[in-house]
Amino acid sequence: MKTLAHSFFALFCVFANSLFGQAVGETNSSELSPFEKAELRRLLDLDFLDLSRTPVRGVLGYEQEHWKNPASVHVIRPEDISLNGHVLTVDSFRNVAGMYTTRGVGYDDFVTMRNFSGSATEKFLTMVDGREVLQLMGGTINWTTEDVPLSILDRVEIIRGPGASIWGTNAVSGVVNIVTKHSAQTQGDSVRLIIEDDGTFLGEYVHGGQISDDSFYRVWVRDQEYSEGKLISGMDARDDGYARKAGFRFDKELGSDMDFTFAGGFATRRVDHAMDLSSRLLYPTDPNYALFPNPFLPADGMGGLLPIASNDEFPFIPISVATALSLPGVPPQSKYSTWPAANGLIQPIGIPRIDHYEKMPQDGSHLRAKISGITENELEWSVAGYAEIYDTTLGHIGHSWERREYDLDFRANKPIGDFNHLAFGASYRHMSFDVNEVVTSPWAFPTVDTSIFASTFDLNKSLRTDIPILEYGGSPTKFERIAGFIQHSTDLSDQVVFSFGAKFEDSDLSGSSIQPGVRISYSLDDENIFWGAYSRANRQASLVEQYTEVSYARIWSPADKNATNPLGKEWINTSFSGSSDHDDEKMDAFELGWRTRPSDKLLLELSLYHYSTKDAVFSGPPVYTTSDVKTTGGELTFDYRASNSWHLQGGYSYSKGKKDGVKQDDFPDSMANLSSHYKIRDNLTFIQSLYYTGDRIIPSAYNPIPIDDYLRLDLGFVWQTKDNWEIGFFGRDLLDPDHPENMYNDLDVEPGRVERTFLLSITKKF
Amino acid sequence: MLFFNSRFRKNLTSRRLFVLLGFFVAFSGMIPVDANTSLMDEKRRVARVQATYLTHLIKFTNWEQPDLPGKSESAKIIMLGEDKNGFVESFRFLASQSNMKIDGRDLEIIHLKQKLNSEAKLKLSQKPQVIFFLAESNFIVSDIKKLSPKSLMIGNGRDFVVEFDGDISFTNSKNRIRLIINKKTFSRNSPKLSSSISTLRNVVEIVR
C-alpha cells in the first residue's frame, strides 16, 4: 500500500507538472463562465449584510468562493434540509458523498467520513460557530445536543479531507463547520413543527428583534420528543425520551468595521440506554487456558464448546449457556444474584439475551463571545472566547462526568500585495473534568480484583463488590492546549493558487505536534479546476482510550479452591486499560480533485484520496489496540439544473480500507445518493430522494452483526405559500418497512429498526 | 504542559521530504507565471458582487408612476462605459434569474460603451429608471443628469456621490464592497430608496 501511495503521489506530481507547463490562458472576457454563473446564483441568495461580508480578494482556506476551493466542500443550506424532509441537520449528511450517516435507536445518530471508524468515535472535527463540539471523554459527538433550529442555520460546510493546517487536531477525516445566521437576519418570529406518524415530534420557535440601529438579538427554544421504536428482534427499543434546547444571540456593530457577538445555549436530554450483559459473565472453555483452566473439560480440547469470539482467541462462553448445558463447576445463582434474568435469545448466535437499562441524562450549556473586525490595512481578525459546561451520566455503564472548558481563539488573515494571502492564528484551551463512577446493580456481587490479589494474596481483601465498568481513578482531569497556525497562499497566476502552512500544537494530552498541509489548484480553463493536496493530521485518543480501565467481563473459575488454585469457585474480574502512551493517530493524506462546469446548469466533481494512518485506536474487548490503517477511495458528485423547475443532485462514493493489511468490512464499500426537486408549480415542489448503502458488518467481540445493503426512497411535497407558510409532507423509507443501520458495538444488544415513517412539517415566518 | 519546554517530535522525516519534493516538482511547470492576469480574477469578482448589489438596490427602490414608462413598455436600465470585467453580463444574468421587473414592467438593459453620441442621447432621454456608470466610464455625470434627471444614478467611488451628486456608489475598501448613498435618495419622492437600507451601518455610509 505504501508503494501505491507513493505511486499515487508521483502520478499527481507529473500530472500537475504537465498541466502547469501549458500556456496560461487569458480570461479577460465579458462572457461569463459556467462557474461564474453558478456563483452569481449563489450571490443572488445573499442579502445586503452577507454581500457586505463577501471578500473581494480570495480568502485562504475554505471561505473563498466555493468553485475556486481546492477541496471537496459540500455546503448544506437550510432549504436542503427542509426540502429533503430531514428533521435534524445530521440527517442531511446522507446527501453528501463520502459521509456515512446511520441511526441506532431513535436518538442515536452516527456519522463517519471517508471510511475511518469502526466504532462510534468520530474522527473528524465538528464546530458550531467556531466551537469544537467533540466530546473528548469518549471521542463522540451528540448530534441532537449540538443541533440548532433550522431558521437560524446559515449553512453547514462539510469539508472532506484533512484540514489540520487550519483547523488543527482532530480534523483528520475532515471538518464539519456549522454556521448560524447573524441575528439581524432572523428578525421577527418563526415556528417549525414536525410530526411523524410514530409520534416523534419536533418544535422550534425563534424570535428576533432589534434593540437599536446597530444591535440585534434573537432567542429560541426547541423541543424534540422521541417516540419508542423497536429493535430488530421486535423488542421495544426503550428509546423514548426528550431533548430540549434554548439559546440566544446578541449582535452589535461596535463601529463600521467591528462586530461583537454574544451567544449561548442550554440543552438537556433525557433518555434511557441499554448495556448488553449477554456475554459479560463467562465460563472458560479451554482446559489449558493459562489464567482460567477448566479441569472439567477434556484435556485435549474444548469439549465441543465454541468460544464466543470469532477469532477463537477468547475461549469462553456465556455463563447462561454453561448453566443451561449443566456444565460442571458452574456457579450457583447465589454467586451472582444481582444479575438480571434473560429475556429471549440474541440472534443469530442464539445465546440468552440479558440487558440492563439505565437513565442517560445529559445537560450542556455554553457561552460564546466574539469580536471581529478589519483594519485599514485589510487585516481581518477575530477574537473569540468560549465557556462550556457539559454534564452527562451514562447510567447503563455507571460512568458520569462534568466537563468545564474554556477556550480563547484568535484568527486573522491579510492580503499581502496583489497575489499573496496570509492567515494565522493562535488558541488556548483549558479543560477540567470531574469524573465519577458507580457500580450498576447487575455488577454488585463479590468479584476478585486480580490486581489486589496479586499484591496481597489475600482473597478476602481481593473480593470487591464495587468494581465499576469504567474506572477513571486518579487519572489526570485537567488539560491545557496551546496551538497556533500559519498558512500562506499565493496566486501564481489566474490559473494557479498554491497554499502551504502548518498547525503547531502542544497539549497535555498528546504532547507536541506539527501538522503541515499543502494545496495547489489549477484552473485549466473557465470550466475545469484541478487540485491536489497533501496534509498530515492528528487525532487525539479520547480520555477513555487513554486513561480508563474497562472491566468488561467477569470469568468464573470452575475448579475447586485449593493451594494451587486459590481463586477457585470465584468470579474474577477481567479488565483492560487505556494507555496514556497512545500517541496521536497520525494520518498522511493525499487528495486529487477535479471540478468541472461544462455549463452553468451542470457541476461535476471528482475527488480521489489515499489516507495512511499510524496508531489508529480501535476499541473493544479484550483490549484497545492501535493499528495502521490505509484507506483509498473517491467520490463523484453532480449538481444538475435540468430546467428552471427541475434540480437534480447526487453522488457516489467508493472506498476500501485495510487495517494492518486486512480488509475492513465495517464500512460499506459503496454508497450513492440522488435527489430530485421538481417544481410542479412555483409554490409546489415534488421531492424524490434515493439513498443506497452497501453492506457491512457491525464489529463485535462475540456477535458481529451483518447489515445488508439497503435502498431508501423518500418522496415528498413541499408547498410554500405567499404568506410565508411552508408545509411539507414526506414518506420516508418507502421501499422497506424497516432496516437496521447501526449501534454502539459491544455496548448495545442489537440495532434499532429504522422504520418507514410519514412526516408532516409546518413552518411559518411572521 | 508548557509550550516552551516541550520538544516537538521528529518532524522532517524522509517521507515528508519526499512529499515536499514532489510538490516542488509539480510547481516547476508553472514558472514563469503570468501574474498580470491574476488581478482580472479579482476585478471580475468585484463586478459580480456589485451586480448583485445592484439587483437588490433596484428591488429596494420605488418610482412614482410619472417616472415609469407605460404599463406595456419596458423599464430601462442603462450601463455606461467599457466593461472588461463582465459586470453587464453578470447583471443581465441576475436579472433573468430573478425575473426582475420594475413595478411589474419588464426590463430593457442597454449598454452604451464609449461616446455620448446621438444614439446614446436618444436612449438617455427616454427616461431610463437606472443609469449605472461602469468603472471605466468616460461619461460625465453632470451631462447625463441633464439628459435624465429622474434616473437613479449609480456609480463607482466616493466622489461619485460626494463630488458629483450621484445617488449611490460602490467603494472597495478593506477587502469588501460597500455602498455610499446620497442622503436625498431616502428623502425624495422618486426614485426613493427604502429606508431599511440606511440601518445597515456595516454596509452603507450615508453622505451629503
Side-chain angles (χ1 to χ4, degrees), chain A residues 17 20 29 31 36 46 56-58 65 214 253 256-257 259 374 380 492 494 496 498 506 508, chain B residues 1 6 15-16 25-30 33 37-38 44-45 48 56 97 174-176 178 201-202:
Chain A
N17 186 288
F20 302 149
S29 166
E31 300 265 323
E36 288 178 314
L46 303 185
V56 174
R57 292 187 199 168
E65 290 173 304
D214 56 8
E253 294 171 16
S256 63
D257 294 304
D259 292 321
I374 182 166
E380 273 186 71
L492 294 173
D494 237 17
V496 181
F498 174 64
D506 192 69
D508 289 327
Chain B
M1 179 279 311
S6 64
R15 176 181 297 183
R16 262 175 266 182
V25 167
F27 259 133
S28 63
M30 294 185 286
V33 295
T37 57
S38 184
R44 293 182 74 83
R45 192 178 303 138
R48 289 195 292 276
H56 290 337
Q97 286 294 308
K174 300 180 182 178
N175 203 21
R176 300 288 190 272
R178 311 266 169 93
R201 271 183 31 181
N202 263 0

Side-chain angles (χ1 to χ4, degrees), chain B residues 146-159:
Chain B
K146 285 176 192 163
L147 288 166
S148 185
K150 299 291 278 184
S151 299
L152 184 69
M153 300 278 181
I154 305 176
N156 278 275
R158 189 180 183 82
D159 284 352

Side-chain angles (χ1 to χ4, degrees), chain A residues 56 144 154 185 231 256 321 400 421 472 503 558 572 585 646:
Chain A
V56 174
T144 308
D154 184 70
Q185 295 170 307
L231 300 174
S256 63
V321 174
S400 64
H421 209 120
Y472 198 75
K503 184 126 184 178
I572 298 164
E585 297 174 356
W646 193 17

Side-chain angles (χ1 to χ4, degrees), chain A residues 648-664:
Chain A
L648 286 158
Q649 286 180 298
Y652 170 76
S653 61
Y654 174 81
S655 68
K656 63 175 184 178
K658 286 188 175 179
K659 184 168 79 173
D660 294 328
V662 178
K663 184 180 183 303
Q664 288 179 282

Side-chain angles (χ1 to χ4, degrees), chain A residues 295-455:
Chain A
F296 303 110
L297 297 177
D300 57 349
M302 294 187 181
L305 300 172
L306 295 175
I308 61 168
S310 55
N311 59 10
D312 292 348
E313 293 177 355
F314 201 60
F316 306 99
I317 58 172
I319 200 71
S320 53
V321 174
T323 302
L325 296 174
S326 300
L327 295 177
V330 294
Q333 183 67 37
S334 59
K335 280 285 189 180
Y336 57 109
S337 55
T338 57
W339 208 246
N343 52 359
L345 299 176
I346 289 182
Q347 300 302 336
I349 56 175
I351 66 170
R353 173 201 167 96
I354 305 169
D355 55 33
H356 178 66
Y357 280 86
E358 290 278 0
K359 301 289 182 194
M360 190 170 68
Q362 293 176 336
D363 298 305
S365 349
H366 72 270
L367 292 173
R368 173 173 72 92
K370 181 180 179 183
I371 298 178
S372 59
I374 182 166
T375 65
E376 289 297 332
N377 63 359
E378 299 187 340
L379 176 78
E380 273 186 71
W381 58 272
S382 68
V383 179
Y386 309 93
E388 182 172 357
I389 300 176
Y390 187 84
D391 190 352
T392 191
T393 298
L394 308 180
H396 55 306
I397 302 173
H399 187 63
S400 64
W401 72 89
E402 181 186 276
R403 172 171 57 88
R404 291 174 181 265
E405 181 180 327
Y406 305 94
D407 286 88
L408 193 61
D409 186 79
F410 168 76
R411 285 172 187 265
N413 70 81
K414 182 184 181 333
I416 301 172
D418 290 327
F419 311 112
N420 294 283
H421 209 120
L422 190 68
F424 54 95
S427 64
Y428 170 76
R429 165 181 285 183
H430 175 84
M431 193 183 283
S432 63
F433 288 84
D434 180 9
V435 186
N436 292 292
E437 47 256 341
V438 296
V439 181
T440 56
S441 57
W443 300 89
F445 59 86
T447 302
V448 176
D449 183 331
T450 52
S451 62
I452 296 176
F453 186 79
S455 59

